[in-house]
Amino acid sequence: MDSLFLYNGKEVTMDIIELREHPRWLEQGIRYFQDRWASDASRPVYDDCIRHSINSPSPLPHWFILVEGQNIVGGAGLITNDFISRMDLWPWLCALYVEPDYRGRDLGRVLVEHCQRKTKDLGFSALYLASDHIGYYERFGFKVIGNGHHPWGETSMIFKWEAE
């Protein structure tokens, strides 16, 4: 569970915790993702999805939190669809977030690469994400493959990473 990172030449230990494997973090994890991503209307979506993932026999979803001590400093998920029209593609990297005070330490990369490894471990050959951030995800091997449509009327670029 412990992961060692170098930041400004110093070793930093943080944990990437998978909520399926460590359900004692469930309530904190749900609140974390809700507080970063949910509207009042969508808070139950995160609760229901994450809560039911804990004991699911399905390979997805998986939710990860990055923890320093007892503080959650980031998170990400692997899900079947990220509220986008391309339901023929999965899994999706979703809800990537690193707390502002922890940015600039390459922790986003740590979470993305963890999700890429988990994608391969689950037997998937590709990982997708929906975003409008040009130049960020390409650093991790993602390529834009098109656009998708969200239920609320917006569009996002669809990125694909292929496992080797």
Side-chain angles (χ1 to χ4, degrees), residues 52-130:
H52 286 96
S53 74
I54 298 300
N55 295 312
S56 177
S58 300
L60 297 170
H62 284 269
W63 295 90
F64 310 97
I65 52 176
L66 182 62
V67 176
E68 182 179 52
Q70 293 299 305
N71 299 316
I72 300 174
V73 300
L78 289 176
I79 59 175
T80 57
N81 187 271
D82 198 11
F83 304 108
I84 198 152
S85 57
R86 292 299 306 272
M87 295 186 189
D88 58 313
L89 307 174
W90 68 83
W92 292 80
L93 171 65
C94 73
L96 177 66
Y97 192 86
V98 174
E99 291 300 315
D101 288 348
Y102 286 81
R103 292 180 186 164
R105 301 181 191 189
D106 228 13
L107 298 177
R109 173 183 297 278
V110 168
L111 285 164
V112 169
E113 289 178 352
H114 182 81
C115 289
Q116 289 170 324
R117 281 190 302 278
K118 187 68 175 186
T119 296
K120 287 171 42 174
D121 291 348
L122 291 170
F124 295 106
S125 61
L127 177 61
Y128 302 89
L129 65 90

